Amino acid sequence: MADVLLYLWSDRRSTLVQELDFYLTQADRRVLIQFGNLEEEAEQFARDQFDQMGQRAGPDADPGDYVDAAYSKGINHYEMLSDLQGQMLLSVAAGLYHHWEKQFRQWLAKELDHSFPREKLTPAVWKRNIEDLFDLLKGLGWDVSAYPFAGAIEECRLVVNVSKHGSGPSFNVLKANYPQHLGETDAGVSIDYRDHTHLEITRGDVGRFQQALREFWQAVPERILWSDEPTVPKWFEKALKANK
């Protein structure tokens, strides 16, 4: 009879999901809500600049002399706010992903500790990339890639990596598979010439990522078994044989 290797009890599952819900709810309330109607705010900024310029110029000045300058200031204000909003959205997505990643690694390491020496597998769990850990789960009988949410988790991982590291392998995969995150193709720069500085996501994307991460926890089987002949990746075998 196969032994239980990984166990996710209902209360723990609920807590993991609630933590992800809390993160995004609070990010909305405390950060993202600050970015309301950017166009309206920029227009008001331009009007304020126009009034201030008029007061400095005096009653005899021609408003046409500074209306363009006020308008330009409004445009610049909008662009800076929009850039800041974009950075905040990327930061929230990164925070969500890293929180989930720590949840996953902590759970996996703790469960493996029940069956194997902690000093062997725990370091490996924290060192290996997510794809390697998913390979382990697949070998144990639970294939994460078979679920619809797997694609959004991978998309989120790529976005976070490009946001942190810039150009590199993650950027190349993102560009090939998710070019929408490099801006609209009619914005004057061909997709072939876009780089990591064009990275952008929407609040809707952040919501999709969070939903995928919470669906992961909802889909994890309550019990994952260790069979008599498990199929485990080479890194797992190597970690168990280390320091023998």
Side-chain angles (χ1 to χ4, degrees):
M1 181 177 179
D3 296 325
V4 175
L5 180 64
L6 308 176
Y7 177 57
L8 183 59
W9 59 101
S10 58
D11 287 348
R12 182 55 179 158
R13 188 192 307 274
S14 296
T15 298
L16 293 168
V17 171
Q18 289 168 8
E19 287 177 1
L20 294 172
D21 290 344
F22 176 85
Y23 189 100
L24 185 54
T25 298
Q26 293 303 313
D28 275 333
R29 291 178 178 176
R30 300 176 184 274
V31 179
L32 300 181
I33 195 175
Q34 304 298 323
F35 298 90
N37 191 323
L38 300 189
E39 293 85 354
E40 182 178 323
E41 182 174 342
E43 289 174 1
Q44 183 59 53
F45 182 83
R47 287 193 292 269
D48 292 343
Q49 290 295 307
F50 180 81
D51 292 341
Q52 293 174 19
M53 291 177 184
Q55 292 172 5
R56 291 194 297 267
D60 298 329
D62 182 359
D65 294 339
Y66 48 84
V67 65
D68 288 341
Y71 178 77
S72 295
K73 287 181 177 292
I75 294 295
N76 186 60
H77 187 72
Y78 172 82
E79 291 176 346
M80 290 191 296
L81 282 176
S82 183
D83 287 345
L84 182 58
Q85 182 186 39
Q87 289 303 313
M88 292 301 101
L89 287 169
L90 289 170
S91 295
V92 170
L96 272 170
Y97 181 80
H98 290 316
H99 184 77
W100 168 82
E101 185 179 14
K102 287 188 289 185
Q103 288 180 327
F104 177 41
R105 293 181 189 275
Q106 288 169 348
W107 168 74
L108 186 58
K110 183 177 180 179
E111 290 303 303
L112 291 174
D113 285 349
H114 296 315
S115 303
F116 302 100
R118 174 177 298 182
E119 68 274 10
K120 293 183 178 294
L121 284 181
T122 294
V125 168
W126 285 96
K127 179 181 180 181
R128 309 303 303 192
N129 59 41
I130 292 298
E131 295 95 327
D132 290 339
L133 301 183
F134 282 178
D135 283 344
L136 172 61
L137 294 180
K138 182 177 181 179
L140 296 173
W142 188 55
D143 185 2
V144 179
S145 67
Y147 291 79
F149 58 74
I153 292 178
E154 172 65 3
E155 180 184 350
C156 180
R157 184 188 71 82
L158 292 169
V159 165
V160 171
N161 279 356
V162 173
S163 178
K164 180 178 180 180
H165 300 294
S167 296
S170 290
F171 172 77
N172 294 333
V173 177
L174 184 78
K175 183 178 179 179
N177 297 334
Y178 306 100
Q180 68 271 21
H181 295 307
L182 299 179
E184 297 293 336
T185 56
D186 61 353
V189 181
S190 168
I191 189 65
D192 294 333
Y193 297 99
R194 292 175 185 269
D195 59 23
H196 66 275
T197 63
H198 293 94
L199 180 66
E200 61 182 36
I201 58 174
T202 66
R203 173 57 182 81
D205 291 324
V206 176
R208 286 192 304 105
F209 297 157
Q210 191 262 0
Q211 182 64 25
L213 298 173
R214 74 193 308 276
E215 286 178 1
F216 169 87
W217 285 122
Q218 291 170 331
V220 173
E222 183 177 8
R223 292 175 174 83
I224 295 178
L225 306 180
W226 178 264
S227 63
D228 292 335
E229 296 182 359
T231 303
V232 294
K234 294 295 183 181
W235 67 264
F236 189 90
E237 296 179 354
K238 184 177 179 180
L240 285 179
K241 295 177 182 177
N243 302 318
K244 275 194 173 183

